[in-house]
Amino acid sequence: MTSYLSVIAAVATLPLASVTFASTDSAGPVNDGVVAEQRAALAKSTIGAGFGPQSPRDIDLAEGQNPRIFETAPPAAEMNLCNIHFHENAEHRGGEFTRYAGNGDGKGYGSGYQYDGTLTEAELAPLDSPIGAGGHGDLEPGDTIEVHYVHTTAKVTPGPTLGACLSDAIKNPQLRVEAQVYVLVNDKSAADFTELTDLTVKNDLHQVQNIPSNTGTPVTYAGSTTGPGYNTTGSPFQVTWSVRPEVVRVNIHSVATWLANNSFDETHAHGVRNLVTNQDLLSPISN
């Protein structure tokens, strides 16, 4: 128990997605060998160590052999919304986001999965100024993002990082992530990101009432926190995931509005963790 609480304390100030910020490799995407080495390091560091099931994964594949089990978190409506953040390209694969973006820089940027449908020329019209610019580029029409609406059983106020999901009263709350993939379009008639992330209080619980409910039956599974910081080591957190398989088109300008003013200190997209394919690190999906 002491070691577990030490881990909690050490990572409480990290983003939910444990992002590693590093300069983009000017030489371009890394080769397959780099990703293979990261997967091998992950397998070596977790074998026999007792890590629970990991995320992200292919939600279209149900197989998994990780023996660690934990109780499924309550429905989001019975929990506190504690954090919202998003990744450029989907961390999960499946549904309408199966196109591999490539290996990226080996540190989480330029990788992940993209919407595999088609967009109109108008939806892809270039912007007059960059949105979400950071050390790894910016957001453009046509980009795919995966939004994580993170919930906790702790009594908390929504805020930045994993620390917002813990409290002095409960250091090991149940965690749930409602995940929705969006595709960004230059279309003011598309969904408004500020509405999709609008916070409210209902029954003394912090909630987001406008998480889409028409994007297919969510795939629920037992997993972990994500982000490229876990490409070579296991995440120690137990998370109930609910990943919707269909995307929603979102007005990219509304994303800019949210990035300029939100409760989570989010200013840009996070990188992605390599898709976890090691069966020993995956839970079986039953739904």
Side-chain angles (χ1 to χ4, degrees), residues 182-257:
Y182 298 109
V183 58
L184 307 182
V185 294
N186 195 350
D187 180 359
K188 293 183 178 180
S189 68
D192 188 318
F193 193 70
T194 62
E195 294 180 0
L196 294 168
T197 54
D198 187 40
L199 300 176
T200 188
V201 176
K202 185 176 182 181
N203 298 325
D204 201 32
L205 295 171
H206 295 280
Q207 296 276 288
V208 174
Q209 295 192 103
N210 297 325
I211 299 175
S213 59
N214 60 345
T215 48
T217 301
V219 175
T220 301
Y221 76 94
S224 69
T225 52
T226 63
Y230 292 121
N231 275 344
T232 58
T233 188
S235 164
F237 292 96
Q238 298 176 332
V239 178
T240 298
W241 282 86
S242 184
V243 185
R244 292 149 179 78
E246 299 172 13
V247 309
V248 173
R249 285 168 165 79
V250 166
N251 174 12
I252 191 171
H253 299 284
S254 67
V255 175
T257 300

Side-chain angles (χ1 to χ4, degrees), residues 120-144:
T120 68
E121 185 176 344
E123 289 175 323
L124 295 171
L127 303 173
D128 294 330
S129 57
I131 290 175
H136 304 275
D138 51 22
L139 298 172
E140 300 177 349
D143 283 349
T144 298

Side-chain angles (χ1 to χ4, degrees), residues 10-22:
V11 300
T13 57
L14 293 177
L16 261 290
S18 184
V19 177
T20 299
F21 294 100

Side-chain angles (χ1 to χ4, degrees), residues 59-278:
I59 60 172
D60 289 339
L61 301 178
E63 295 79 9
Q65 299 176 5
N66 189 286
R68 301 286 175 265
I69 59 174
F70 57 90
E71 185 177 358
T72 300
E78 299 174 13
M79 303 176 73
N80 266 310
L81 184 285
C82 55
N83 180 267
I84 299 175
H85 64 274
F86 65 83
H87 301 256
E88 184 170 4
N89 296 323
E91 288 199 292
H92 289 84
R93 181 191 185 281
E96 294 183 333
F97 35 96
T98 60
R99 186 171 63 211
Y100 186 47
N103 295 337
D105 64 0
K107 303 179 180 72
Y109 289 91
S111 190
Y113 293 86
Q114 300 171 334
Y115 173 54
D116 51 25
T118 58
L119 300 173
T120 68
E121 185 176 344
E123 289 175 323
L124 295 171
L127 303 173
D128 294 330
S129 57
I131 290 175
H136 304 275
D138 51 22
L139 298 172
E140 300 177 349
D143 283 349
T144 298
I145 62 173
E146 179 174 319
V147 177
H148 293 166
Y149 300 88
V150 190
H151 296 74
T152 178
T153 51
K155 184 175 178 60
V156 298
T157 300
T161 80
L162 180 58
C165 302
L166 313 177
S167 73
D168 291 338
I170 302 179
K171 296 293 186 183
N172 62 337
Q174 289 179 283
L175 299 172
R176 170 182 285 275
V177 177
E178 298 291 322
Q180 175 64 59
V181 175
Y182 298 109
V183 58
L184 307 182
V185 294
N186 195 350
D187 180 359
K188 293 183 178 180
S189 68
D192 188 318
F193 193 70
T194 62
E195 294 180 0
L196 294 168
T197 54
D198 187 40
L199 300 176
T200 188
V201 176
K202 185 176 182 181
N203 298 325
D204 201 32
L205 295 171
H206 295 280
Q207 296 276 288
V208 174
Q209 295 192 103
N210 297 325
I211 299 175
S213 59
N214 60 345
T215 48
T217 301
V219 175
T220 301
Y221 76 94
S224 69
T225 52
T226 63
Y230 292 121
N231 275 344
T232 58
T233 188
S235 164
F237 292 96
Q238 298 176 332
V239 178
T240 298
W241 282 86
S242 184
V243 185
R244 292 149 179 78
E246 299 172 13
V247 309
V248 173
R249 285 168 165 79
V250 166
N251 174 12
I252 191 171
H253 299 284
S254 67
V255 175
T257 300
W258 185 81
L259 288 172
N261 182 25
N262 63 81
S263 303
F264 312 102
D265 293 346
E266 295 292 323
T267 60
H268 59 276
H270 294 275
V272 303
R273 185 186 189 184
N274 293 336
L275 196 74
V276 178
T277 58
N278 183 345

